[in-house]
Amino acid sequence: MVQVTLLSAIVGVPRCVSAVKIDTNEVTVALNICDIVHLNDELIVSTRDGRVLVYKRNDAEVGKVAEYAQVAQMEIDDEIEKLIVVQPELLDSDASTHLLIRCFSGRVFCLNGPSTSGAAHKRKIVPWNGPPTSDNGMTFVIADIELNRARGMVALVSMSGLVSLFSSSGEKQWDYQLPEAVVNADKLEMTAPGGRQDAIVVCTWTGQLYAIQSERKLVRFRMPLPVCCMFCVGICDLTAQVDPTIVGISTSGTVFVYRDVQDTLIRGLQDITLADKIKQSSVFAQLDSLEKRKDMMMKLCATFPQAVVSAETTMPSVEDLIKAMLTVPVQP
């Protein structure tokens, strides 16, 4: 057994940490805990071997340390990796708590109950009815994404590198396949003119970081060392301004903290590419359908058979045509 100190003044606000005066409460839980969250005035603890324990705070007299008593215990036949708090619209409408349980196997469960009129110990862990998760290893679930005035979106990131974004109603918005295995994924909450512009931040084993807003909008940069852990957090300064920050931990134990990244990432994500410029020009009328692009690619192949190497694709995109055109030699 191990004694855990709960920082009651800041628990429940994990993404915004500032220097504050705090009171401490203590509760004894199992040694193999893997995650703790504070939700609906309860302390919810998960253990690596599949147990979920719920503790409720007893009322204490002024000046005395409050104690937590266990009110419920559940168990699942899987190895728990993380607890995730999400907004109500992402869960079943009957759920009274908003907590997901992510397992190393890739399965995701939802902790339901208690109801407002039910007993505190009556809880149930059920499979999550959200977007389908990957069967090929652990899936990172990133909830409550806000982007382009759309709220409550969910991103799923598989260890194989597939990033998928879903609307709050569960409709898939896009997929993007990264070229290497993923070690962690999180949400970076950013604010731009017009509202929130969150980015999905994905870290690979080699230390490559991707900030993604769509399959066409991403910024890539690399940490100096291979990484075993990465997370995003909002750090408050003395003026109460929140600085979106990326923290990475290398396999050798070195901690990298990337601060003041919001402006740079937003500029990078909003930069217009050559393909975007073509789509906004009158030239795009000749390329705005698959048949037109196929015809254009065939003409390029016929005219420059030695130069055009992108003709192998049967469904050429605007980007494929740009690559093919760039290989055409300039006539003197």
Side-chain angles (χ1 to χ4, degrees):
M1 306 294 283
V2 64
Q3 197 169 51
V4 177
T5 299
L6 170 65
L7 306 183
S8 60
I10 61 174
V11 73
V13 197
R15 296 186 177 276
C16 184
V17 181
S18 59
V20 293
K21 183 178 180 181
I22 58 176
D23 298 322
T24 61
N25 302 308
E26 294 181 344
V27 59
T28 302
V29 296
L31 180 62
N32 61 339
I33 59 173
C34 61
D35 206 355
I36 301 176
V37 299
H38 190 260
L39 181 67
N40 299 332
D41 294 325
E42 294 178 333
L43 183 66
I44 303 175
V45 179
S46 64
T47 65
R48 190 72 70 190
D49 57 3
R51 286 179 294 163
V52 178
L53 304 96
V54 181
Y55 295 84
K56 202 166 186 65
R57 180 176 176 176
N58 295 326
D59 293 332
E61 297 180 11
V62 177
K64 291 187 177 181
V65 176
E67 295 182 350
Y68 279 78
Q70 182 177 322
V71 296
Q73 177 174 331
M74 292 74 60
E75 190 167 346
I76 57 177
D77 186 21
D78 212 329
E79 191 174 4
I80 296 176
E81 195 271 336
K82 188 174 180 60
L83 301 177
I84 305 168
V85 179
V86 299
Q87 293 297 325
E89 62 264 24
L90 302 178
L91 297 174
D92 187 276
S93 58
D94 295 331
S96 57
T97 60
H98 317 309
L99 188 70
L100 299 183
I101 303 168
R102 188 179 75 208
C103 300
F104 279 104
S105 65
R107 293 196 294 171
V108 181
F109 296 89
C110 175
L111 175 62
N112 287 342
S115 63
T116 54
S117 59
H121 66 278
K122 291 187 177 181
R123 314 291 174 99
K124 185 166 62 173
I125 296 178
V126 298
W128 184 37
N129 65 349
T133 57
S134 171
D135 294 328
N136 300 319
M138 180 173 58
T139 297
F140 300 97
V141 181
I142 307 169
D144 304 338
I145 297 171
E146 188 171 336
L147 181 62
N148 298 327
R149 299 185 180 180
R151 306 178 65 182
M153 294 188 289
V154 179
L156 301 181
V157 183
S158 71
M159 288 193 69
S160 61
L162 180 63
V163 183
S164 304
L165 183 70
F166 296 84
S167 68
S168 59
S169 60
E171 297 176 355
K172 182 177 288 189
Q173 304 299 297
W174 49 262
D175 284 326
Y176 185 78
Q177 179 64 55
L178 298 175
E180 53 185 325
V182 170
V183 64
N184 219 327
D186 204 351
K187 172 185 65 179
L188 187 68
E189 294 185 2
M190 301 190 296
T191 303
R196 281 256 301 272
Q197 293 290 328
D198 296 346
I200 304 163
V201 179
V202 181
C203 182
T204 68
W205 292 100
T206 61
Q208 191 80 47
L209 283 172
Y210 296 84
I212 307 171
Q213 287 187 336
S214 76
E215 74 276 25
R216 297 296 183 192
K217 289 186 176 182
L218 63 90
V219 173
R220 181 178 63 183
F221 58 100
R222 182 182 293 277
M223 291 188 182
L225 296 172
V227 174
C228 64
C229 181
M230 183 279 305
F231 62 92
C232 301
V233 65
I235 299 180
C236 296
D237 59 21
L238 296 178
T239 64
Q241 294 293 319
V242 178
D243 177 20
T245 302
I246 302 173
V247 180
I249 304 174
S250 75
T251 52
S252 61
T254 304
V255 179
F256 300 98
V257 180
Y258 293 87
R259 302 192 61 177
D260 300 321
V261 298
Q262 175 171 284
D263 292 343
T264 302
L265 288 180
I266 288 178
R267 282 198 305 271
L269 290 166
Q270 293 178 346
D271 280 348
I272 297 178
T273 64
L274 179 57
D276 294 327
K277 291 182 178 179
I278 290 176
K279 291 176 182 178
Q280 295 171 6
S281 71
S282 58
V283 176
F284 188 59
Q286 304 174 42
L287 309 171
D288 59 0
S289 71
L290 180 58
E291 293 304 319
K292 291 180 181 180
R293 292 194 292 273
K294 285 182 178 180
D295 184 58
M296 179 67 72
M297 186 67 81
M298 290 176 63
K299 290 179 180 178
L300 285 171
C301 292
T303 308
F304 306 100
Q306 302 300 321
V308 178
V309 295
S310 300
E312 298 177 357
T313 178
T314 58
M315 301 180 65
S317 63
V318 174
E319 288 76 10
D320 291 328
L321 283 170
I322 292 173
K323 292 177 183 178
M325 292 175 185
L326 290 175
T327 63
V328 174
V330 178
Q331 299 297 326

